[in-house]
Amino acid sequence: MESQEKRILIVGGYGMVGSNIARLIRQADKNIELVLAGRNPQNGIPLAKELNHSETAYVNLEEGFELSDFKKIDLIISAVDDHSNILRETAILNGIACIAVSELADQISPTAFLGLHKTIVAPVVYAGHWQAGILTLMVRQQANKFSKIETIELAGLYDPKDSVGPLVANEVSGFVGEALIRKGGNWLSLQAKENPRTIDLYNHSSAIGYPLSTLDVPSIAAFTGAKNIRFDFITGESIGTSKGLEASHDLYITIIGTLPSGEKRKLSTIVSGTKGNSHLTAVGVYLITEKILGLNGQSEQKIGGLYLPETIVTTDHISKRLKEFDIEIIEETLESL
């Protein structure tokens, strides 16, 4: 498929996450046609002019969605809340690739079952992970250092000084309610606010985290077999703010397990998105887009089906790739356990 033929619909395309996604795609390919859609398309006109080969469109998912309103679309990116799965179901039923980033673990079953009953001819990616898969991609890379993993503790730190749009704002408040964790090999659904966890931060302070049902937890369990996995949302001062810079969004990863040598170790890694939450999410979406469409020298993903970020994006050199987007990786191997 020639790049001139590629046409991407980004719903929420001129919001904070969507605009970051659009800019990253445009940096990779000058010819892809971008449709920046939302409830107030006039707000996206300046961005469309900046990016070239771009246009705006009206989409309000509360009123439904008509694919016939658009020319041929090769990829739908949902950068808005779509809990009715309108965009993903439309993509599956019409053979269009799709990336959706807003679902929690208990919201993916409708289209998962649809996918089991239908032949999916284009890649459809569940990217409701924290930062659209960045966290889990790093866990997969780091997990390769162990022969056996017992515990994986994860956290995403939101800095109140980080400017975010509606999509991220909903994520920020999303920990209220029940959360899926794995403990002792069992799956538990916990009341988030009744099950806090203390997380040690980069600046030697600590913060209280609350569990959240991101897709990272069941996915990481699938490829590591770890019996204890938990993701927590925390609010506090980011690494960027502590350095007097722009507020960053920081991901904390702790893996406890056994090395191939037989030694038991704890590996701590921090992924710091120096440009904030929205940009970090956009990078995750871009890496998936890059693979689906074959951008930046990648081979195009031509086989349809249901995917996760970590099953479509290679993790062999993910830390090196992330650094290309001004994302800092801080790794610390602690003493033997």
Side-chain angles (χ1 to χ4, degrees):
M1 183 164 50
E2 297 297 328
S3 63
Q4 293 92 331
E5 299 175 353
K6 296 176 183 176
R7 185 172 167 85
I8 302 175
L9 171 64
I10 307 176
V11 181
Y14 49 84
M16 293 195 69
V17 173
S19 61
N20 274 293
I21 295 170
R23 288 190 174 99
L24 289 172
I25 293 172
R26 177 56 73 233
Q27 289 172 15
D29 192 302
K30 296 181 180 180
N31 297 310
I32 286 177
E33 295 183 21
L34 299 174
V35 182
L36 312 176
R39 297 183 180 186
N40 300 289
Q42 68 278 5
N43 294 343
I45 293 175
L47 179 61
K49 291 181 178 179
E50 170 195 330
L51 297 177
N52 296 317
H53 297 293
S54 304
E55 62 187 76
T56 62
Y58 176 78
V59 170
N60 183 347
L61 295 181
E62 292 182 0
E63 300 174 357
F65 177 77
E66 291 293 335
L67 184 63
S68 59
D69 292 342
F70 302 90
K71 299 176 184 177
K72 181 178 181 293
I73 297 294
D74 297 290
L75 171 63
I76 298 173
I77 297 175
S78 174
V80 296
D81 286 322
D82 180 17
H83 297 317
S84 295
N85 294 309
I86 295 173
L87 296 174
R88 192 162 45 206
E89 290 184 6
T90 297
I92 290 173
L93 296 175
N94 291 276
I96 300 172
C98 181
I99 305 169
V101 301
S102 62
E103 66 278 287
L104 296 176
D106 60 348
Q107 296 168 335
I108 67 171
S109 56
T111 48
F113 277 89
L114 180 63
L116 292 171
H117 283 276
K118 301 291 182 181
T119 299
I120 304 178
V121 300
V124 174
V125 184
Y126 289 109
H129 304 50
W130 201 249
Q131 312 318 125
I134 296 292
L135 180 66
T136 290
L137 290 171
M138 274 301 302
V139 169
R140 187 154 198 170
Q141 176 182 285
Q142 301 297 66
N144 287 332
K145 299 176 181 180
F146 294 83
S147 59
K148 183 179 180 180
I149 296 174
E150 298 174 7
T151 298
I152 301 178
E153 295 178 337
L154 312 164
L157 182 142
Y158 166 69
D159 189 325
K161 295 183 179 180
D162 186 359
S163 297
V164 298
L167 178 66
V168 178
N170 288 338
E171 290 178 341
V172 166
S173 60
F175 66 80
V176 179
E178 293 188 353
L180 181 70
I181 73 166
R182 186 168 169 86
K183 185 175 182 180
N186 298 312
W187 290 104
L188 304 177
S189 184
L190 305 179
Q191 288 295 323
K193 286 198 169 182
E194 296 175 7
N195 291 274
R197 179 168 73 92
T198 301
I199 294 102
D200 294 327
L201 303 181
Y202 176 80
N203 61 5
H204 304 296
S205 66
S206 61
I208 301 297
Y210 298 92
L212 179 63
S213 288
T214 66
L215 301 189
D216 306 87
V217 173
S219 187
I220 290 170
F223 67 76
T224 66
K227 294 184 177 181
N228 304 289
I229 308 174
R230 169 171 169 156
F231 173 86
D232 288 270
F233 173 82
I234 51 180
T235 302
E237 183 180 76
S238 66
I239 293 173
T241 296
S242 68
K243 293 180 177 179
L245 305 172
E246 181 180 353
S248 59
H249 186 73
D250 306 325
L251 310 178
Y252 288 81
I253 302 168
T254 300
I255 302 176
I256 299 174
T258 305
L259 301 178
S261 64
E263 184 180 11
K264 190 171 182 180
R265 304 281 289 193
K266 178 164 72 172
L267 174 65
S268 297
T269 307
I270 303 173
V271 179
S272 182
T274 59
K275 296 182 179 179
N277 190 306
S278 296
H279 178 263
L280 198 57
T281 300
V283 171
V285 174
Y286 168 74
L287 292 175
I288 300 167
T289 302
E290 184 181 74
K291 180 58 180 177
I292 289 176
L293 298 183
L295 305 180
N296 197 28
Q298 296 284 322
S299 58
E300 182 180 337
Q301 183 65 44
K302 296 183 179 180
I303 300 175
L306 297 178
Y307 291 87
L308 300 166
E310 63 277 12
T311 64
I312 197 169
V313 176
T314 179
T315 58
D316 293 342
H317 307 287
I318 192 62
S319 58
K320 182 178 178 181
R321 285 299 320 272
L322 294 181
K323 291 175 184 177
E324 297 174 11
F325 299 95
D326 296 320
I327 297 170
E328 184 178 7
I329 310 298
I330 303 167
E331 183 178 326
E332 179 184 11
T333 303
L334 301 182
E335 69 278 359
S336 298
L337 298 177

